[in-house]
Each structure stands twice: as C-alpha cells, then as structure tokens.
Amino acid sequence: MATSVRFWKEGQRFLPIFPQLCVVREPNHCKMSLKKLCRQSRQSHARIADAKDGSWTAPGKLLCEPGRLPHCRGSQGNVCRPLLQLNTTTQIRSICTSSLCSSQKSSPDPRTPSDPFQLVSTEMSTLYNDIRMELATFGSVLRDMSHYYFDGQGKAFRPMVVLLMSRACNFHNGASENGLALPSQRRISMIAEMIHTASLVHDDVIDEADTRRGKACVSNLHGQRKAILTGDYILTVSSMALASIGNKDVVILLSQVIEDLVRGEFMQLGTKEDEDERFAHYLKKTFKKTASLLAHSCRAVAVLSGGCKEVQEVAYQYGKNLGIAFQLVDDMLDFMSTEELMGKPTAADLKLGLATAPVLFASEKYPELNAMIMRRFSEPGDVELAREAVTKTESLQQSRILAEQYCREAVRQIQQLAPSPEREALVTLTQKVLNRKK
Ligand code: GRG
C-alpha cells in the first residue's frame, strides 16, 4: 500500500480534506500513514466512547450528557451549549476510527426498528404522487416529461434523509405530537427530490448521457432543448412550493443549494493546474454538487422544527458529511460497479474527463497521471492507463477510508441529538451509504 498519504502534510492539501484537522495543525500528523493513524485512533476512540456513555436526560431538562445538546427552547437558541469542539489530537484521532458502530454506546430504543426505509415508509409512500400533483400542468408533453423520473425507481435517498432528520430534530425539540414530520418539513423532502431530479435532467444534457436509472434519459427521448426546459420547469415548481412554506430563512437555504449545484457543475468543467490544490478542489466541487442539497435541506427542517442554532448546525453537518461520503462512494462505484446495477454506464467519469478521488489517490504513486488529468484523459489510451493505475494501487481502499471518515463525522454530529429511532436510523444510513452497490 502507498502508506504515506501525502495530503497529511501541513498546508493546502490536507486541511480541506479533514476540516476538523484545521483547528490543530498537529505536526506529528505530517506524513503519518493513514493506516497507522486509524490504528492509533481506534484505541483512543474506544476510551472516548466509554467516557461518553451515559443516559439521556428527560425532555425539558437543560443539562445532558457530555457531547449531547440540550433541548432547544423554541428558535431562540440561547440555552444550547456550543458544539463539542475538536481541539486535541486524541479527539482528532477519534474521528478516524474504523468502526462506526463503536460510537453507538448510548443505547437506541430496542422496541422500535431503526431501519431507515421502514421508519418513514408511510410518509414516503405518497411522496412521488404528491410531487406529480405539484407538477400537473395543462401541457401534456411537459407534464409527462416532468413526471418521467418520479416513478418510484430512484433511491429516494434525499427525501428519506430529510424525513428522518425532521423527526429526529422534532423529537429533540419536542416539536411534533404524533412523531411524524411536520407538513412543512415533508414539503422540504419533496422539494429536495425535485431539485435533485431537475439537476439530473440537466446533468444528462451536459454529459450527453443516454441512460439513467436503467432507462433512456429525458434528453435521449425528447432532445436536449425540451430536456433543459423540463429541468427548468421542475426547478420552478419546486421554487414555488418552497415559497409557499412562507419561511424566509428556509427559502434562503434552499436557494443556496441551487447556486451550489450550478457552481459545482462549473467547477467540474475545470481542472486545477496546481496538483496540491486538486484534492481540495475536488472536495469543494463534491460539496457543491452533491452534499449541499443534503446539508441545506437538513438545516431547513431543523429550522422548521424550532431548533436552535446548534441543532441546526448538527443537522447541517450531518447532511454535509453524509453527502460527501455518498459522492465518494459514487465515484468508487464508477470504477467498481456494472451498468446493469447502476442503471447508467460505469467507467464514465474518466471518459468525461473527470479525475475523481480514486484517480487523485492513484496519482500519488503514478505521477504520470497528472499530465493526463490536465488534458482530461483526452488522448488515446489515457482512460485505460488511468483505470489500470487505479486497479494497481490501493486508491479505491483509500477512497473508502476517506468516505468512512466523513461518515464517522456524520455519526459524531447526529449523536448530539437526543436518542430516538430516527437518530439511530440516521446512524444506520451512514453504513448503508458506505456499503451501497448502486
Ligand atoms: C438545474 C438545479 C439545477 C442544476 C444545474 C447540472 C447541474 C447544474 C448539476 C448537476 C448535479 C448532479 C447531477 C450531481 C450528481 C449527484 C448524484 C450523486 C446523483 C446520483 O444520485 P442518486 O444515486 O440518484 O441518489 P437516484 O437515481 O437514485 O435518484
């Protein structure tokens, strides 16, 4: 294994990868092998988990166990303690452990399942129908085109996260009497799926894709011009649904997502000349293209639950870290999975000129990849050589370790909320993201 992962060195290259490390700049981390760091941290994490183990105080009490947020009083937010800060080497190492489950010591409610899909299945069952009703229009072509992807064939990952987060925050804040998401929060889950779908429609135009979810994509069936308008239409209807919630803060949060999506797509069109800046550029792009939607939607439902700033931040950080992990796994699957499983061509990123995490890791060992990255794998043989380099190195494992780091941070964040089946489901979801095959 290429044990010495160079981005551990001080400076531009590693700080944005593990933002938590920014607070310390511990010189001993320089050039420390990822394996060694993970081994050491596993031990220290076990100690931290032991120390943090304790019972959750009943709703209404302001004090809670170390590392967990007290309940918020409405949206004033002045009773919450600041989030646990990562200030020491031990704490930093604690987020680098390999076992996600080890941090789940505050026992989940054993009576209720923490299966993410099952928990919100009732609320999800009518989601696509409700979205199709929003998109109802007199023009039958536009209606059919905009309904095309709301057929229950997608993973519906984003609405599921949003609904679970809504319920976890509501429980923490005592904001819902029936344990379900509030109507406004459910609307955010619909809006998140609509924004996601609009971006897929546009993405397929930009990438000149043929298939998506195992069927011909909209632009393939109806041409690029109508596909662009369909994406615009879905986006517009989602914006109207957003405005109808009547909360200015939430409108600002979800509008930021749209800006991020466009900026992220723009960033993907360019390549950083400076090798040291490439990983940071890739992760920033990943946040904007994929994680921003989850992060801001999660914050929006925390706002709607009356969560104080700290709870909002927990929700945002969970969505952000889970979203980055989701994209890292997506980028790995592009090298590992099959078209049949994914419902879209694999090995596609290199052909589109994109250098994702596996290639960036492989370039540590094969510096000749850097020239190919710069010319976006445009010369004959580039794609094949890059694929070979990824196979020959441990770059896929390194990408997975990175995804695990983000999932671990997502878990650490969400565990600051009061324990509930939904909170446990959000923890379970991090493992599902890591182990997904499509
Ligand atoms: C129109 C809002 C808007 C944006 C235009 C084209 C563009 C700017 C952004 C592209 C964003 C994009 C497509 C990011 C990819 C995110 C991603 C990993 C998609 C795959 O998500 P899955 O696997 O898909 O959840 P399913 O099919 O299950 O929904």
Side-chain angles (χ1 to χ4, degrees):
M1 164 169 180
T3 42
S4 176
V5 180
R6 274 202 267 141
F7 56 70
W8 288 105
K9 76 183 175 206
E10 179 75 55
Q12 278 281 322
R13 217 161 170 204
F14 88 94
L15 293 180
I17 296 176
F18 299 109
Q20 300 86 352
L21 299 182
C22 295
V23 290
V24 172
R25 302 200 168 93
E26 163 63 59
N28 290 338
H29 280 133
C30 302
K31 298 195 177 123
M32 182 182 275
S33 88
L34 212 49
K35 252 186 186 169
K36 192 174 163 204
L37 189 65
C38 287
R39 202 170 46 240
Q40 287 185 359
S41 63
R42 225 170 281 141
Q43 294 154 4
S44 55
H45 185 266
R47 286 197 298 276
I48 284 183
D50 286 344
K52 281 172 71 174
D53 192 16
S55 58
W56 170 66
T57 44
K61 288 195 181 170
L62 294 182
L63 291 175
C64 60
E65 71 182 74
R68 184 164 303 149
L69 290 172
H71 295 269
C72 299
R73 279 202 185 129
S75 55
Q76 301 311 306
N78 51 7
V79 297
C80 285
R81 275 184 303 178
L83 284 179
L84 194 71
Q85 295 293 318
L86 292 165
N87 285 324
T88 68
T89 307
T90 316
Q91 283 172 330
I92 289 162
R93 286 177 180 160
S94 79
I95 38 172
C96 193
T97 57
S98 62
S99 163
L100 288 173
C101 294
S102 64
S103 54
Q104 280 181 256
K105 288 215 163 184
S106 50
S107 50
D109 186 342
R111 292 161 305 169
T112 34
S114 61
D115 180 273
F117 302 92
Q118 211 183 322
L119 266 177
V120 289
S121 61
T122 310
E123 284 161 297
M124 294 277 284
S125 61
T126 49
L127 188 102
Y128 283 123
N129 205 33
D130 292 349
I131 292 177
R132 283 198 297 269
M133 275 162 62
E134 292 283 333
L135 292 166
T137 172
F138 291 116
S140 63
V141 177
L142 185 56
R143 186 192 55 226
D144 291 351
M145 286 175 73
S146 63
H147 283 191
Y148 186 66
Y149 286 125
F150 300 109
D151 58 353
Q153 295 307 302
K155 289 187 285 297
F157 176 67
R158 291 148 190 87
M160 182 176 53
V161 173
V162 172
L163 288 171
L164 288 170
M165 182 61 78
S166 302
R167 285 163 59 160
C169 289
N170 292 348
F171 183 74
H172 185 92
N173 297 327
S176 164
E177 286 183 2
N178 59 9
L180 299 176
L182 304 169
S184 58
Q185 293 170 322
R186 190 168 176 281
R187 253 177 123 59
I188 296 290
S189 75
M190 288 168 58
I191 290 161
E193 188 67 356
M194 289 168 83
I195 295 176
H196 166 61
T197 307
S199 79
L200 294 183
V201 173
H202 280 189
D203 202 48
D204 289 340
V205 173
I206 294 169
D207 293 349
E208 299 183 34
D210 291 327
T211 52
R212 155 105 37 210
R213 296 181 184 166
K215 59 185 191 178
C217 59
V218 174
S219 45
N220 185 359
L221 284 175
H222 299 273
Q224 297 198 339
R225 279 184 291 194
K226 282 184 183 164
I228 292 167
L229 291 170
T230 301
D232 289 345
Y233 177 66
I234 299 170
L235 197 60
T236 311
V237 174
S238 76
S239 301
M240 290 193 290
L242 179 61
S244 76
I245 293 174
N247 183 312
K248 182 176 83 80
D249 293 340
V250 167
V251 171
I252 292 170
L253 287 170
L254 272 291
S255 304
Q256 181 64 55
V257 173
I258 300 172
E259 185 196 319
D260 283 345
L261 279 164
V262 175
R263 282 184 182 271
E265 192 65 23
F266 248 84
M267 285 178 79
Q268 191 168 280
L269 298 176
T271 310
K272 277 275 168 218
E273 270 188 45
D274 186 342
E275 290 163 31
D276 283 346
E277 289 176 20
R278 250 178 229 148
F279 224 117
H281 183 263
Y282 162 76
L283 287 172
K284 194 172 171 193
K285 183 267 316 172
T286 297
F287 170 76
K288 288 183 182 297
K289 260 195 80 169
T290 308
S292 170
L293 177 56
L294 276 169
H296 287 98
S297 305
C298 284
R299 191 191 280 272
V301 293
V303 168
L304 292 167
S305 84
C308 57
K309 288 277 179 269
E310 284 79 8
V311 169
Q312 292 173 25
E313 187 61 19
V314 161
Y316 177 87
Q317 289 297 334
Y318 175 87
K320 172 181 157 181
N321 283 282
L322 186 76
I324 294 177
F326 185 91
Q327 186 62 56
L328 281 164
V329 173
D330 216 64
D331 294 343
M332 287 164 61
L333 289 174
D334 192 56
F335 285 92
M336 296 159 66
S337 193
T338 61
E339 177 158 0
E340 204 183 4
L341 257 178
M342 295 292 281
K344 61 181 181 184
T346 46
D349 289 340
L350 287 172
K351 288 176 202 155
L352 288 168
L354 306 180
T356 57
V359 178
L360 295 175
F361 276 122
S363 70
E364 298 277 336
K365 198 162 183 193
Y366 291 97
E368 55 270 37
L369 282 175
N370 288 316
M372 296 181 207
I373 293 171
M374 275 316 292
R375 58 178 183 257
R376 297 179 76 86
F377 310 101
S378 57
E379 286 191 5
D382 282 358
V383 168
E384 291 72 20
L385 278 167
R387 280 186 68 79
E388 207 184 319
V390 166
T391 335
K392 276 187 186 163
T393 57
E394 302 219 332
S395 59
L396 287 168
Q397 290 91 318
Q398 287 172 300
S399 306
R400 190 185 157 89
I401 289 172
L402 191 54
E404 283 173 357
Q405 298 271 355
Y406 282 103
C407 281
R408 200 161 293 117
E409 177 59 7
V411 169
R412 192 186 74 79
Q413 291 287 342
I414 202 66
Q415 284 190 327
Q416 293 177 90
L417 296 186
S420 64
E422 288 78 12
R423 190 195 78 168
E424 297 315 315
L426 289 166
V427 172
T428 306
L429 209 52
T430 62
Q431 288 159 308
K432 289 194 183 291
V433 161
L434 285 174
N435 297 326
R436 75 188 176 99
K437 299 283 177 277
K438 62 171 194 164

